[in-house]
Amino acid sequence: SWQNIATGDSQVQVPTSSLATTTTLNYAQQVELTEHGALFTSASGIVTFINRTALLKSPRNTSLGTFGDAAGEVNYKRAPTFTLDNIDLYNVSAVTNVGGTLQQYSSASSIAQYGVTSVLSETGLLAVSDTQAMARAQWNVAHFAFPMTRVRSITVDPSGDPATRYN
């Protein structure tokens, strides 16, 4: 089979525009966005869809490598640079399903501390209810209302430890 398509966790709408103007890829990408899943072509050429719950379970929640200079770790040439910034800070989220009403949610405590940053806006989702759109807006704000430490840069040395080389 040329596909490995999981059942999603969200109920979605059927295509809302003519099938003559909606490509399979476009519709699948809309479903992926609505579901918060992952749609990709595997290394063996299989079109794959993974639902959002599966993204949080084994084997996808297990690290495939550890950066460091000990045996078995993926070596790096320079130490990673960490940063705490607002590049991914959204304290207001606006979500709209096709044919639905705008659902907006915000974090008063984040806004009091940082002011209104960028609004995380998602439109054209295919969820079947405004309740699902509101839940998505709430999820967005819960995950992005405050800054998180992130790796700004790292230079990997794949030739370092033979056990972690990329073949």
Side-chain angles (χ1 to χ4, degrees), residues 108-132:
S109 59
S110 176
I111 291 170
Q113 190 168 354
Y114 303 104
V116 174
T117 59
S118 298
V119 174
L120 179 51
S121 179
E122 296 177 302
T123 61
L125 298 186
L126 297 175
V128 296
S129 73
D130 288 337
T131 302
Q132 287 174 285

Side-chain angles (χ1 to χ4, degrees), residues 102-114:
L102 173 70
Q103 302 296 309
Q104 188 165 306
Y105 188 77
S106 61
S107 168
S109 59
S110 176
I111 291 170
Q113 190 168 354
Y114 303 104

Side-chain angles (χ1 to χ4, degrees), residues 29-111:
Q29 288 170 328
Q30 285 182 289
V31 169
E32 173 195 26
L33 180 63
T34 301
E35 171 68 20
H36 245 168
L39 176 70
F40 57 93
T41 301
S42 70
S44 57
I46 305 296
V47 175
T48 304
F49 174 75
I50 300 171
N51 64 45
R52 69 175 171 267
T53 304
L55 291 174
L56 304 173
K57 296 179 181 176
S58 183
R60 291 168 197 90
N61 65 349
T62 303
S63 174
L64 298 179
T66 301
F67 296 106
D69 47 17
E73 296 179 339
V74 178
N75 296 114
Y76 48 81
K77 292 185 178 188
R78 289 189 306 268
T81 303
F82 296 95
T83 187
L84 179 65
D85 59 28
N86 67 353
I87 197 166
D88 294 318
L89 190 140
Y90 300 94
N91 47 27
V92 178
S93 179
V95 178
T96 309
N97 292 318
V98 171
T101 303
L102 173 70
Q103 302 296 309
Q104 188 165 306
Y105 188 77
S106 61
S107 168
S109 59
S110 176
I111 291 170

Side-chain angles (χ1 to χ4, degrees), residues 150-163:
R150 63 184 181 88
V151 176
R152 171 169 253 153
S153 68
I154 186 169
T155 303
V156 176
D157 180 11
S159 65
D161 185 348

